[in-house]
Amino acid sequence: MKKKIIIPLFVLINIILMSCVQKNESDNLENDIVIENEQFKLVIGNNAVAKSLTLKSTNEECLMQGENMAIISVTQERPYHNEIKLGHPNKKTTYQADTIYREGDKLIVGFELIPYKAVIQVKETPAYIGFSLYDFITDGIYPSYLKITPPPATEVCILQLPIRDFEKRNGYKILKASAIKDIKFKGTGAALIVSESDKLLDNIARIEDDFNLPKGVESRRNDFINASYYWTANINPTNVDQHIKYARMGGFRLMNIYYPSFEGGGGYGIIGSYEINKTLYPNGKEDLQKMLDKIKAEDIIPGVHFLHSHIGRRSQYVTPVPDYRLNLVKTFNLSENLGKNDTTVYVEQNPEGSVMAEGCRVLKVGTELISYENFTTTAPYKFTGCKRGIDNTTVNSLPKGYSIGILDVSEFGATSVYINQKTSLQDEIAEKIAAIYDAGFQFFYFDGSEGVDPPFGINVALAQYRVFKRLNPQPLFAEGAAKTHFSWHMLSGGNAFDVFRPEVLKEETKKWPAEEAPRMRQDFTRINFGWLGYWVPSETTVGTQPDMLEYVTSVAAAWDCPISIHSNLQAFEAHPRTPDNLEVVRRWEEVRAKHWLTEEQKNELKNTEQEHYLLLNEQNQFELVPYEQISGAAGASKEIRAFIFQRKGEYYVVYWHISGDKKLQLPLKSSDIELYKTLGEKEPVKDGSDGNIVIPLNNRRYIRANKLTKEEIQTVFAKAKIID
């Protein structure tokens, strides 16, 4: 007799439910969207959540699993659909995608709550996959009486993915690309690359070629990307030979020329004019070109440094009539007529929060600029303590209702103002800059890059690009004072850190460039470890010393980064240690050019708590050794700097006087040491009648200690005396 199998009801229900779940999962798999190329595969569920992003060569999963993040979203300033407006707060809201399907090369995306759809075009190429905002589907969604331009959106996130952070356990980063309505909606795109590290730049280069972008990859691979440069603000045909002399002493392969060198005096005040100074360059651009040719003949590549987004307050764009394309940070309407002698300006809008920084309290009012001392925040609203026609602008009278504004004055000295990037003025300035650049410059510094109007994430790079795309030939590399996403394609050299004084140079190097360099390296971008100033020793400063330059340039070299020195012909001439200072730079520039450092040495140099010294040995070859300062030398005198290091089992001291030509008395016998001006070339040392020896104390010299311990050497130098 066949045994009857009884299945409890709840078990049967579970089996049915399990079958349903399995069927739904199967359906979901069938409805998944797979987007792939030869290198990676992206899988998106029909709920618009990315399920997987795998690198095919290793089958490695790149997504942070379990985040359930929609790959696309749309942002509105407030709800516009009537029922949504009534049922939800009227504020800026981001709506996540919740449905997606594919039709050919298009993704059709629906969103939570809001009724319209976005159409994303997909382009699959061997190097990358492109996603671009193609269109919106809005037909029949809004009633005819609702007079809006669909869709009512301010931003569309074209693609966002939670990418695993492979350096942090359980961490991830959201990679996100958006289209902004006020900038550009349709046609805005993003490119997704997933590849092995050594192929990433090749893939980016393909994108740059396809979209005619600046060649960021090419410049990063240029052999001069790690070269330091000699920076000058006053080179001209009368002193070019002196500048070349010092540049060659420092082994510089590059020279960066600040625009006042050829435009003449005036500083920030005349930025924007960009007219070559006929006093220094009688034949204008022709003489500038000849000077650059002379620099190139010395195997030094010239570059140029501009403040591309600034307009000087004494330039033709400000006086006698301010240009209408200067940026305003706030606008107002006059609430009363303004007469030519009025010192109070009445406005309709509340000036609450307006600029109060000294020198920046400037109203642009018709043909004139007006400074103000204060303003009221209760009606009647007004600006008080006004001075008319500042900056030699033209005083005018204006009727009630006229639009005025607060001028966007640069916070750096208040001597220049910023361009409205929605106008043609930046292009006009870019044309002037490009016309000077083609005299023979080959790299570029975008100074003052932060000097733009919002949105900064767009306009910083846009202002740079308006100049960059006109530069012919494309710069070998570029640096800039500020960067945003698109800046990557231009600022392959990253930024340069501003001048730090000698007394704090090492600590500031640790704090700023040494902290940034590893972060920028993740972007394949190097930084410049410093526009290093040059100081002559005085009663208040020890001045620029060889060990300071050694520290900065050695740590920079650890990250394949350069330095730069702000030239000062008078200081170079006056500082007795200039030959030693520039010799430090020369050695490290040779190391950079020859790629002499091993990865092991670079890793040693990354330890910012340990100083290193690059010496030339007896065979005139480089040796890299760790060294440390003998801080108590000669009774802790500031006149002497001495550092101890060990090589071949023996201790050495490299020492010098910060500025003078004196002698050093040591409690030693001549047999205790050997003295060298350069290793391998001994200098005589004689015993003194008092049991001491006396050796020169001026330029850098070396002492090799014969069988003295490190502690004994330190004690000897502590007891040393400086004598005239």
Side-chain angles (χ1 to χ4, degrees), residues 240-259:
V240 61
D241 291 324
Q242 288 177 279
H243 283 289
I244 289 174
K245 167 190 168 184
Y246 288 112
R248 289 183 61 83
M249 284 175 65
F252 289 103
R253 292 176 283 164
L254 307 172
M255 181 182 292
N256 198 1
I257 298 175
Y258 197 24
Y259 75 93

Side-chain angles (χ1 to χ4, degrees), residues 283-421:
N283 298 307
K285 187 175 177 179
E286 180 183 345
D287 286 345
L288 176 60
Q289 185 171 352
K290 287 179 179 178
M291 185 183 77
L292 298 182
D293 287 342
K294 190 170 192 178
I295 294 168
K296 292 177 185 178
E298 299 293 333
D299 293 325
I300 300 172
I301 295 173
V304 69
H305 172 170
F306 281 103
L307 281 88
H308 60 291
S309 60
H310 289 236
I311 297 293
R313 287 177 63 172
R314 291 188 288 109
S315 75
Q316 66 204 53
Y317 292 101
V318 174
T319 185
V321 176
D323 195 283
Y324 66 93
R325 298 167 292 180
L326 302 177
N327 193 53
L328 304 178
V329 294
K330 275 192 175 184
T331 58
F332 307 89
N333 296 99
L334 293 175
S335 60
E336 293 186 11
N337 292 338
L338 179 68
K340 288 189 175 183
N341 297 316
D342 291 339
T343 56
T344 300
V345 178
Y346 291 88
V347 294
E348 286 286 348
Q349 296 84 2
N350 189 342
E352 179 77 44
S354 292
V355 176
M356 282 300 293
E358 183 67 31
C360 299
R361 301 189 298 269
V362 179
L363 294 169
K364 181 176 177 295
V365 184
T367 63
E368 69 174 309
L369 299 182
I370 301 174
S371 68
Y372 59 89
E373 288 297 321
N374 215 324
F375 52 79
T376 64
T377 56
T378 57
Y381 302 123
K382 57 190 175 183
F383 290 90
T384 60
C386 297
K387 293 182 181 178
R388 306 294 297 274
I390 66 168
D391 295 348
N392 295 315
T393 53
T394 305
V395 177
N396 60 178
S397 58
L398 294 171
K400 175 181 177 179
Y402 196 91
S403 180
I404 67 171
I406 297 178
L407 194 64
D408 196 356
V409 178
S410 169
E411 64 270 31
F412 292 97
T415 56
S416 61
V417 299
Y418 298 149
I419 295 168
N420 184 335
Q421 294 296 327

Side-chain angles (χ1 to χ4, degrees), residues 3 39 41 57 100 136 162 245 311 369 377 396 406 412 430 455 465 478 497 523 551 554 678 688:
K3 189 174 181 180
Q39 300 183 76
K41 178 167 69 175
S57 61
I100 191 169
F136 298 92
K245 167 190 168 184
I311 297 293
L369 299 182
T377 56
N396 60 178
I406 297 178
F412 292 97
Y465 182 59
F497 276 87
D523 284 346
Y551 181 79
S554 64
T678 59

